[in-house]
Amino acid sequence: MAAEISDGLAEVPDGKADPADLAKAAAAFEDGRKKIAKMYESQDQATAKQVEDRIAGTEDGPRIRQLADLMASPELAAETALTAQVMYVSLEAFSDTNSAELASASPEKLKSELSGVVASLRDRTENEKPVPKDIARMEEKARLTFILAALPKEDLSVLFDFYQSAEGKAKRQALVESYRQVSDRASTKMLAEYFPTLADYLKTHPRPQQQ
C-alpha cells in the first residue's frame, strides 16, 4: 500500500522546491512531533504556553493555522476513521439482530450489497462509530497545529511556501487520493472475504434471536 501511494505521488512532477530545504524542514517537523509528544507526556505547561502563544500571535500564528489547513494529515486522519468505521460495522454484524437475514443471503446478494458499504460510510455524517470523520479531522488538525508551532521560523517558511505552491497542492491531492484509493480497495476486499465467511458461520452457529 505504501509503495502504491508513493507511486501516486511520483506521478506529480517536481517543481522548484529545493529538496535539501524540504528534507531539513521534514526533519524539523519530526523533531517538533517528538517535542509535542514529550510535552503531553510530561505535562510541560511552560512549553504548552509557548506553543499556544505562538499560535495566537500575529507574527507566525496566521501562517501556522493556514499551513495546518493546507497539509494532508487531517484528511488522512478522516480516512483512517472511515477504516475504523468499516471495521466497526463488520464486528457489529456478528451480533446484529438481522444476522438471520445475513445467514440466508445468497453470495450474489452479499456481493451486490457489500459493494456500496464503503461509499455509504463515507457519505454518513450521523451515528458514526467508533469515531466521526469530522472529529478525527479536527483532532489531527489541532495536533498538527501544535507541531507546526514548535518548528523554527525558517523551516515553517519552507513548508508554508511548498504547500502554497502548485506543486505542493498537487502533491497533497495525489497523496490523499492515492491513500483513499488503496484504503477503499483494502476495506472492500476485507468485507468481501469477511461477510461470506460470517454468513457461513451463522448458518451453523445461529444467534439466539435466529433460533
Side-chain angles (χ1 to χ4, degrees):
M1 291 174 69
E4 188 171 343
I5 292 170
S6 295
D7 289 343
L9 281 169
E11 291 178 3
V12 178
D14 292 334
K16 299 179 180 179
D18 188 325
D21 287 344
L22 284 176
K24 179 178 177 295
F29 183 90
E30 180 62 16
D31 289 341
R33 185 190 66 77
K34 293 177 181 177
K35 179 179 179 179
I36 297 303
K38 184 178 179 181
M39 179 194 76
Y40 281 119
E41 183 179 348
S42 63
Q43 297 185 345
D44 185 347
Q45 297 299 320
T47 299
K49 182 67 165 56
Q50 292 174 359
V51 169
E52 290 170 354
D53 287 348
R54 191 178 185 197
I55 295 171
T58 58
E59 185 175 356
D60 293 323
R63 283 198 307 170
I64 289 170
R65 294 190 294 272
Q66 188 175 352
L67 181 53
D69 284 330
L70 291 170
M71 294 181 76
S73 65
E75 200 57 42
L76 299 184
E79 290 298 321
T80 301
L82 175 64
T83 300
Q85 291 167 22
V86 173
M87 298 299 296
Y88 187 92
V89 165
S90 302
L91 296 174
E92 193 177 42
F94 184 78
S95 58
D96 191 88
T97 55
N98 295 322
S99 56
E101 181 180 344
L102 176 61
S104 62
S106 67
E108 293 75 16
K109 180 176 174 60
L110 281 175
K111 184 176 181 180
S112 65
E113 292 188 355
L114 292 176
S115 62
V117 169
V118 176
S120 176
L121 289 173
R122 185 181 296 284
D123 292 338
R124 181 185 295 181
T125 57
E126 296 181 357
N127 195 30
E128 297 177 275
K129 299 176 181 179
V131 179
K133 294 183 286 295
D134 281 347
I135 296 297
R137 187 183 290 110
M138 180 181 66
E139 290 180 346
E140 174 58 19
K141 182 180 174 182
R143 187 187 72 90
L144 178 59
T145 301
F146 265 55
I147 294 173
L148 294 173
L151 265 62
K153 190 179 293 288
E154 61 271 19
D155 295 309
L156 181 66
S157 294
V158 168
L159 290 178
F160 184 81
D161 290 344
F162 174 75
Y163 279 95
Q164 280 274 69
S165 69
E167 176 194 4
K169 292 177 181 179
K171 291 280 189 183
R172 178 207 182 275
Q173 186 63 26
L175 172 58
V176 172
E177 288 298 328
S178 297
Y179 187 97
R180 181 176 294 156
Q181 289 172 15
V182 298
S183 179
D184 282 2
R185 280 201 299 273
S187 293
T188 301
K189 180 180 179 182
M190 183 277 292
L191 292 172
E193 295 180 3
Y194 172 76
F195 273 97
T197 303
L198 177 59
D200 288 342
Y201 177 84
L202 291 173
K203 290 173 184 176
T204 55
H205 300 77
R207 303 277 73 84
Q209 65 270 16
Q210 292 176 236
Q211 299 175 348

